[in-house]
Amino acid sequence: MRIKTFVPWLLAAALIAVIAGTTASAQNSATLRAAMVSDTGNINDRSFNFLATQGLARAKKKLGAQTRIYISKSKADYLPNLAQAARDGYKAILATGFLLADDMSTAATQFPDADYAIVDYPWGALKDKPKNAMGLTFKSEQSGYLVGYLAGLMAKKQGGKQVIGAVGGKKIPSVDNWIAGYRAGAKKANKKITVQIAYSDQFAIGFSAKCKELALNQISQGAQVIFQVAGGCGLGALDAAKANHKGKRPVWGIGVDADQAYLGKHILTSGTKKVDNAAFKFFSLVNSGTFKGGRDLVFTLKNGGQGVGKISSQVPKAFVTKMNAIKVLIIKGKIKPPATL
């Protein structure tokens, strides 16, 4: 009798263990559903939004995630897209850029079961302080300082008017930190340098003619280097540099976010912001169950979140050596580039 009553109990216990194990296995193998919402610069800007799509693609490839991109054609699309992604069952939702901050804060508050992250905006500045959101922020002034330093050296080498320029998209912190670093780095290398700054109020590639016009105006006033901080629109500024990359004092272009050396020999270098790495880090945290909102992930030269792209072969090696020495000082905290103008 004891054996007969014991065996059913043992089998029941084993069955419970199998069911529990199967449930845990199913939970662990659940497919991550990851989405991103673009800003109005669109995903073909060859810069900021494009890099975010690369982070999403990496999540699909390495994490096996189901992914989707919600494209915003106007700012009126931000909140509907951010909300729809949650309604569609996406667990990890990336808001691509500073301009989506208020709408992402609202969406995250309305959909607490989804995890949100926003590029280029600190969590502490979000209006609702949602606990299911985090900021992905960058010390872009560090990379800006380095490319500005090179620009200052090149202008000094070429002679003539000691002027360089920068064309920003909108006057917002995530643009101005690039330009503030650029100006400070240029002045570190060349005390006689003047830095002209203009804003197109646009990021989309469809407005590249506006950025080109602003850059051409700077070039007419003697600018020898043009730094674009305007996404797709900024490709027009680089086109202006290309059209004037000739003669004794060729005009150089400096790319932003992605390495834009592929655009041609007129590219001096690029200030790189690893938006793809930041996006993938967010998706990985959600996938592993270690996402924790209410904070920022900060990307710098030290942790590889910021950098400098390919440098033109026309830049003297001594200049590159000097720039790399400055990079070490920034990483050590001995030089602290300004983040505001």
Side-chain angles (χ1 to χ4, degrees), residues 40-337:
T40 54
N42 216 315
I43 61 174
N44 297 318
D45 60 1
R46 291 184 274 177
S47 183
F48 187 85
N49 282 282
F50 172 74
L51 287 172
T53 68
Q54 296 305 293
L56 187 68
R58 199 186 309 171
K60 181 176 182 178
K61 182 178 180 180
K62 294 191 174 183
L63 305 177
Q66 292 182 11
T67 62
R68 180 173 173 180
I69 300 172
Y70 292 78
I71 296 176
S72 303
K73 294 182 179 180
S74 73
K75 63 182 182 181
D77 293 331
Y78 294 159
L79 182 55
N81 281 342
L82 290 161
Q84 191 60 49
R87 291 192 188 98
D88 290 342
Y90 288 92
K91 175 64 175 174
I93 303 168
L94 180 72
T96 312
F98 183 95
L99 300 175
L100 284 74
D102 284 349
D103 292 316
M104 190 217 70
S105 184
T106 298
T109 301
Q110 292 177 348
F111 298 93
D113 291 335
D115 295 326
Y116 286 82
I118 182 165
V119 181
D120 269 345
Y121 201 91
W123 179 84
L126 291 172
K127 61 185 178 69
D128 302 307
K129 306 293 188 296
K131 296 297 184 181
N132 57 323
M134 66 165 44
L136 306 175
T137 63
F138 299 81
K139 294 288 187 180
S140 297
E141 64 271 16
Q142 296 181 345
S143 293
Y145 194 96
L146 295 179
V147 299
Y149 188 82
L150 273 185
L153 291 178
M154 287 299 286
K156 184 188 293 186
K157 174 181 179 293
Q158 293 186 169
K161 289 186 177 181
Q162 295 301 285
V163 179
I164 59 175
V167 176
K170 292 180 179 291
K171 187 171 174 54
I172 55 178
S174 56
V175 169
D176 279 352
N177 62 349
W178 275 115
I179 298 174
Y182 174 72
R183 183 172 66 181
K187 289 183 177 294
K188 174 71 173 179
N190 184 347
K191 293 182 180 179
K192 295 182 179 180
I193 204 75
T194 296
V195 183
Q196 298 180 340
I197 302 169
Y199 299 88
S200 64
D201 201 37
Q202 299 290 341
F203 289 106
I205 196 168
F207 294 90
S208 60
K210 176 63 174 178
C211 283
K212 185 173 184 177
E213 177 187 353
L214 293 173
L216 287 172
N217 182 57
Q218 292 177 343
I219 291 168
S220 72
Q221 297 179 59
Q224 299 189 46
V225 182
I226 301 294
F227 180 32
Q228 82 97 342
V229 195
C233 177
L235 296 175
L238 298 180
D239 282 343
K242 184 177 183 179
N244 290 274
H245 189 69
K246 53 191 174 183
K248 184 179 179 181
R249 298 187 184 92
V251 177
W252 296 91
I254 296 179
V256 76
D257 296 330
D259 188 343
Q260 297 182 318
Y262 66 89
L263 292 173
K265 295 182 179 180
H266 62 294
I267 301 299
L268 182 69
T269 188
S270 302
T272 57
K273 175 189 289 187
K274 308 301 177 64
V275 177
D276 51 339
N277 290 350
F280 182 71
K281 178 66 175 178
F282 162 59
F283 295 134
S284 296
L285 290 174
V286 177
N287 186 62
S288 65
T290 56
F291 171 86
K292 182 180 179 182
R295 62 182 177 129
D296 296 330
L297 298 182
V298 183
F299 298 88
T300 66
L301 286 175
K302 186 174 183 178
N303 63 23
Q306 289 285 155
V308 172
K310 182 180 178 181
I311 298 171
S312 169
S313 61
Q314 298 302 305
V315 176
K317 291 183 179 179
F319 290 4
V320 178
T321 299
K322 288 181 178 181
M323 186 204 73
N324 286 333
I326 293 293
K327 178 180 178 180
V328 171
L329 293 177
I330 293 174
I331 289 173
K332 289 183 176 180
K334 294 184 178 181
I335 292 178
K336 296 182 179 180

Side-chain angles (χ1 to χ4, degrees), residues 22-43:
T22 302
T23 302
S25 176
Q27 290 174 340
N28 291 336
S29 63
T31 300
L32 172 69
R33 290 173 59 80
M36 66 165 274
V37 176
S38 78
D39 67 14
T40 54
N42 216 315
I43 61 174

